[in-house]
């Protein structure tokens, strides 16, 4: 053996490098990865808003033998429960045999809201022979990406008496879709010279809804009246009912494989259903009942985890208290021993925009589920910075279970930043670290992930809760 070969061997033993899952995987493993992504794609197509994600998740939980839990219900070891929290957030949990004061609760926390355009409360008007709906964007979007693409209208109208009307227009091939006008390049000289962030203004994100005037010469807003009469006929609503509605425009695309080899998948709302789905399926597929496990699917992450259905809501610690009380345990001790993976996406290294990434510490596509010890911006501000001890604890679980994973930060230091629900969980004295799928074009109407990374995240969650 020559000296150089010895050196190479030593180097391989001592140095660390990421592994591409597709390079490591057997044909059977690649088949399992691709098969899993079929279930994920169909979940995505049924769950474009938090309300839809909550509904679909509850159906999946029921099919797996979970029963409904309401605050105050009695609980016992062996229970498999779901709480549908106001239709917009879901908590699934199983009560295990282990002592939760010693072992704590294993928590997977993802979010099921995604960036989109919400209708204003008095949205409808007409101008220039066209009908429109005014919007206020939800979450961090690049506004120019939302013009000139097909959009679908999802949500609820709640009538004055409390009747809830579900709206879903634009997903069926026979449905009409909605649209936001953009300027033609021929007249876009001034617009093209503007910075990307301000070329499209929030107040121009108006939804094109029609152009057929109502047949009555005495009506002043004929196109608006046509729209209102169609809505009245279909849903029994009037313009006033928009006051108590939550209607959103989401891209009317379905999830599709990307590329010749189908290794990647594009969809609206990977952030964060690409972590929600693995968390749900990891729990529903798990046969073991040793640990007490909670899967939290929170709403409102994209606007700061606020509100009654966001991660800062008391509901999540209330359930920990309920489980603790039912088992005669001290909830403060239980929280102290509990462990959480905050399941959210991170930025995937993109060679087209390499200058904002620091390659050694970026998530690389298909190199596995990605741990972010810290997120934040400008000197780790506003992050839950997980301890080395906790990272080592998770590392051991992944090593023992053959999970291929990687670490990353969200781009170069001082290039920007972001946050997740991690800090809100950690604030309750629960060990937490971020883990999730790297995403290309995050927050765009059509985002891209690797099927290998989705499956790796599923394997990581299975290992964590088993
Ligand atoms: Mn997210
Ligand atoms: Mn996000």
């Amino acid at each position: 053996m020559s000296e150089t070969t010895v050196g190479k061997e030593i180097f391989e033993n001592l140095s660390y490098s990421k592994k591409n899952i597709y390079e490591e995987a057997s044909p059977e493993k690649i088949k399992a990865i691709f098969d899993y992504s079929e279930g994920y794609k169909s979940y995505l197509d049924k769950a474009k808003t938090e309300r839809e994600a909550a509904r679909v998740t509850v159906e999946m939980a029921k099919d797996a033998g979970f029963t409904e839990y309401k605050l105050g219900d009695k609980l016992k070891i062996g229970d498999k429960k779901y709480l549908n929290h106001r239709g917009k957030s879901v908590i699934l949990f199983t009560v295990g045999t282990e002592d939760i004061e010693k072992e704590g609760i294993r928590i997977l926390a993802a979010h099921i809201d995604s960036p989109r355009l919400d209708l204003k409360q008095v949205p409808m008007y007409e101008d220039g022979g066209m009908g429109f709906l005014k919007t206020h964007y939800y979450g961090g979007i690049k506004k120019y990406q939302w013009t000139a693409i097909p959009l679908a209208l999802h949500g609820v109208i709640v009538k004055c008496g409390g009747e809830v009307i579900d709206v879903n227009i634009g997903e069926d091939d026979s449905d009409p879709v909605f649209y936001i006008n953009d300027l033609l390049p021929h007249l876009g000289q001034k617009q093209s010279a503007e910075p990307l962030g301000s070329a499209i203004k929030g107040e121009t994100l108006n939804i094109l809804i029609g152009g057929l005037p109502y047949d009555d010469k005495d009506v002043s807003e004929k196109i608006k009246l046509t729209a209102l009469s169609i809505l009245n006929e279909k849903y029994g609503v009037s313009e006033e009912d928009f006051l108590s509605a939550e209607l959103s425009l989401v891209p009317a695309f379905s999830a599709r494989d990307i590329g010749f080899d189908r290794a990647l998948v594009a969809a609206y709302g990977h952030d964060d259903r690409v972590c929600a789905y693995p968390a749900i399926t990891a729990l529903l597929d798990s046969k073991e009942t040793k640990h007490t496990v909670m899967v939290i699917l929170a709403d409102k992450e994209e606007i700061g985890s606020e509100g009654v259905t966001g991660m800062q809501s008391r509901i999540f610690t209330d359930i920990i208290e309920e489980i603790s009380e039912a088992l005669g345990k001290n909830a403060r001790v239980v929280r102290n021993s509990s462990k959480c993976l905050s399941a959210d996406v991170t930025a995937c290294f993109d060679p087209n925009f390499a200058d904002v990434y620091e390659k050694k510490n970026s998530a690389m596509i298909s190199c596995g589920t990605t741990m972010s010890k810290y997120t934040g911006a400008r000197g780790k501000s506003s992050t839950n910075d997980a301890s080395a001890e906790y990272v080592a604890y998770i590392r051991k679980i992944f090593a023992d279970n053959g999970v291929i994973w990687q670490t990353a930060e969200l781009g170069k230091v001082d290039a920007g930043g972001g946050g997740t629900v991690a800090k809100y969980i950690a604030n309750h004295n629960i060990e937490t670290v971020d883990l999730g799928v790297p995403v290309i074009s995050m927050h765009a109407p059509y985002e891209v992930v690797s099927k290998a990374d989705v499956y790796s995240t599923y394997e990581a969650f299975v290992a964590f809760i088993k």
Side-chain angles (χ1 to χ4, degrees):
M1 205 180 266
S2 77
E3 248 176 53
T4 47
T5 316
V6 174
K8 193 180 170 220
E9 213 178 283
I10 296 172
F11 184 80
E12 274 167 13
N13 284 334
L14 295 185
S15 67
Y16 165 79
S17 62
K18 297 187 181 193
K19 291 190 186 112
N20 183 302
I21 292 176
Y22 285 129
E23 273 180 39
E24 303 287 316
S26 64
E28 296 75 42
K29 182 67 178 279
I30 292 180
K31 187 178 180 301
I33 290 169
F34 276 46
D35 287 350
Y36 183 78
S37 121
E38 293 306 306
Y40 172 51
K41 282 186 285 180
S42 86
Y43 179 82
L44 282 169
D45 290 342
K46 289 182 277 183
K48 288 194 173 183
T49 64
E50 69 281 354
R51 285 179 189 272
E52 292 169 355
R55 197 181 308 145
V56 176
T57 303
V58 165
E59 281 167 23
M60 290 166 72
K62 279 182 177 168
D63 289 345
F66 282 58
T67 55
E68 187 172 18
Y69 169 78
K70 290 200 166 76
L71 272 184
D73 282 358
K74 286 200 166 59
L75 287 169
K76 58 180 187 319
I77 287 168
D79 276 348
K80 294 177 165 198
K81 295 286 178 184
Y82 68 84
L83 176 90
N84 185 347
H85 188 47
R86 303 170 199 267
K88 295 173 62 123
S89 143
V90 174
I91 297 175
L92 307 171
F93 62 97
T94 55
V95 184
T97 49
E98 233 166 30
D99 180 351
I100 57 171
E101 279 185 1
K102 280 206 195 81
E103 300 297 327
I105 298 176
R106 304 282 164 124
I107 301 165
L108 297 170
H111 67 91
I112 49 176
D113 61 316
S114 298
R116 62 181 187 231
L117 304 170
D118 286 346
L119 290 195
K120 290 192 183 188
Q121 286 192 278
V122 183
M124 199 182 284
Y125 70 101
E126 68 170 83
D127 201 355
M130 290 172 273
F132 295 98
L133 294 169
K134 293 208 67 71
T135 65
H136 193 139
Y137 60 97
Y138 173 97
I141 62 164
K142 291 166 93 175
K143 299 182 194 81
Y144 73 89
Q145 293 178 329
W146 293 73
T147 65
I149 60 168
L151 298 167
L153 184 66
H154 290 230
V156 295
I157 301 170
V158 184
K159 293 184 75 170
C160 207
E163 185 196 345
V164 180
I165 296 154
D166 276 301
V167 177
N168 186 317
I169 305 169
E171 296 297 342
D172 195 276
D173 281 344
S174 64
D175 280 355
V177 292
F178 301 91
Y179 187 81
I180 295 171
N181 304 354
D182 197 359
L183 192 54
L184 61 168
H186 317 66
L187 297 178
Q189 219 170 313
K190 202 174 142 224
Q191 186 197 41
S192 301
E194 282 206 54
L196 211 54
S198 58
I200 299 289
K201 310 271 187 287
E203 288 295 349
T204 65
L205 294 175
N206 301 315
I207 309 300
L208 182 58
I209 57 161
L212 191 65
Y214 194 88
D215 187 16
D216 186 334
K217 63 177 177 17
D218 295 331
V219 173
S220 60
E221 295 179 290
K222 296 188 179 67
I223 291 166
K224 177 171 164 178
L225 183 55
T226 300
L228 285 175
S229 1
I230 292 168
L231 287 172
N232 185 258
E233 198 181 309
K234 192 165 177 191
Y235 301 111
V237 297
S238 67
E239 190 177 11
E240 196 181 349
D241 290 317
F242 280 112
L243 297 177
S244 50
E246 278 183 338
L247 292 168
S248 306
L249 276 302
V250 296
F253 317 133
S254 45
R256 302 282 292 266
D257 291 347
I258 286 277
F260 297 116
D261 59 14
R262 297 176 175 263
L264 313 176
V265 51
Y268 162 66
H270 278 314
D271 178 9
D272 186 31
R273 288 154 208 146
V274 75
C275 298
Y277 183 77
I280 298 161
T281 49
L283 180 60
L284 300 188
D285 293 349
S286 98
K287 300 278 173 270
E288 294 196 38
T289 53
K290 201 171 60 148
H291 296 310
T292 294
V293 179
M294 261 173 109
V295 170
I296 303 166
L297 305 171
D299 179 29
K300 298 275 192 284
E301 192 278 342
E302 296 295 357
I303 56 168
S305 299
E306 311 286 348
V308 78
T309 50
M311 195 64 234
Q312 296 190 70
S313 162
R314 259 309 283 269
I315 184 66
F316 134 75
T317 43
D318 280 351
I319 293 185
I320 293 182
E321 282 169 28
E322 296 275 301
I323 297 171
S324 304
E325 276 169 32
L327 302 178
K329 304 292 175 182
N330 180 329
R332 291 178 293 278
V333 179
V334 171
R335 286 205 304 272
N336 191 57
S337 334
S338 290
K339 292 174 179 66
C340 175
L341 291 177
S342 161
D344 207 346
V345 300
T346 189
C348 185
F349 174 78
D350 186 338
N352 296 296
F353 302 99
D355 59 323
V356 297
Y357 295 93
E358 186 266 289
K359 214 168 174 182
K360 283 188 85 63
N361 288 286
S362 293
M364 303 306 286
I365 197 125
S366 303
C367 289
T369 194
T370 304
M371 182 190 289
S372 300
K373 183 175 179 295
Y374 47 87
T375 56
R378 295 172 308 279
K380 295 191 178 181
S381 170
S382 281
T383 181
N384 154 64
D385 190 353
S387 70
E389 287 85 348
Y390 188 54
V391 172
Y393 170 85
I394 299 296
R395 226 182 111 187
K396 173 85 165 70
I397 292 177
F398 293 167
D400 290 347
N401 289 276
V403 177
I404 296 181
W405 65 289
Q406 57 182 325
T407 60
E409 356 192 323
L410 194 99
K412 269 185 182 162
V413 176
D414 289 340
T420 65
V421 299
K423 61 177 179 176
Y424 304 114
I425 298 162
N427 287 347
H428 293 292
N429 188 31
I430 295 171
E431 290 274 23
T432 303
V433 69
D434 279 298
L435 190 89
V437 176
V439 176
I440 295 277
S441 307
M442 195 197 297
H443 284 204
Y446 217 40
E447 305 170 316
V448 172
V449 299
S450 164
K451 294 178 180 179
D453 296 330
V454 184
Y455 194 71
S456 158
T457 301
Y458 168 75
E459 290 180 311
F461 293 166
V462 168
F464 176 71
I465 66 174
K466 90 171 189 196

